[in-house]
Amino acid sequence: MLIIISINIIILFISFIIMFIASTISKKTKFDREKFTPFECGFDPFSSSRLPFSLRFFLIAILFLIFDVEITLIMPTILIMKFTNLTSWTLTISFFLIILLFGVYHEWHQGILKWVLGCS
C-alpha cells in the first residue's frame, strides 16, 4: 500500500512540474501580437479581416446538411421495398415523410427558409 501511495505522489509531483514548465514557456509577449495581424503582401490591411458572418447563411447550410442526411436515409428504403412487407414499408416511409414535412413546415413558419430579409 505504501508503494502505491508513493508512486501516486511521484506522479502528481511530476505532473505539477510539467504543468509549471509548460505554463512558463507558453507565456505570450507583446511581440507576439504582430503574428496575429493579417498580412497582405507586406502592406497594412485595407479592411478588417474579421468580417461578420451571416447567421441566415449558416442556418440555410445547416438545413441543407440535415435534409441531405435525411435523403441518404430515404434512398436505401427503395432497395428494401423488394424484401419487406409492403404495408410495413409504406407505414414506415409515410411516418418518416410526415415527420420531414412537419419539420419543413415549422422551419417555413419560423421564417428560416427566407433567403432575403425583405421577401415574404
Side-chain angles (χ1 to χ4, degrees):
M1 185 70 174
L2 184 63
I3 295 173
I4 294 174
I5 293 174
S6 62
I7 290 175
N8 284 334
I9 290 174
I10 291 172
I11 290 172
L12 189 66
F13 183 69
I14 291 173
S15 63
F16 278 129
I17 289 174
I18 290 174
M19 285 191 298
F20 177 74
I21 291 171
S23 67
T24 56
I25 291 175
S26 68
K27 296 290 182 188
K28 302 287 184 202
T29 62
K30 292 181 182 179
F31 302 111
D32 290 340
R33 272 189 278 150
E34 195 65 33
K35 291 180 184 177
F36 297 116
T37 59
F39 180 73
E40 294 181 3
C41 300
F43 298 104
D44 289 332
F46 296 115
S47 64
S48 174
S49 64
R50 306 283 184 218
L51 298 175
F53 188 74
S54 171
L55 184 61
R56 187 155 308 274
F57 173 76
F58 178 73
L59 287 175
I60 294 292
I62 293 297
L63 287 176
F64 173 75
L65 288 174
I66 289 171
F67 283 110
D68 195 34
V69 168
E70 290 168 350
I71 287 173
T72 58
L73 291 174
I74 290 174
M75 291 300 283
T77 60
I78 297 169
L79 298 173
I80 293 172
M81 185 174 73
K82 298 177 193 176
F83 306 111
T84 61
N85 184 4
L86 191 59
T87 308
S88 170
W89 181 85
T90 305
L91 286 174
T92 305
I93 293 302
S94 60
F95 183 68
F96 187 72
L97 290 177
I98 287 171
I99 291 174
L100 287 181
L101 289 175
F102 276 130
V104 170
Y105 174 74
H106 177 70
E107 291 158 359
W108 190 0
H109 185 64
Q110 293 292 323
I112 294 174
L113 299 177
K114 291 181 185 175
W115 285 89
V116 182
L117 292 175
C119 72
S120 56

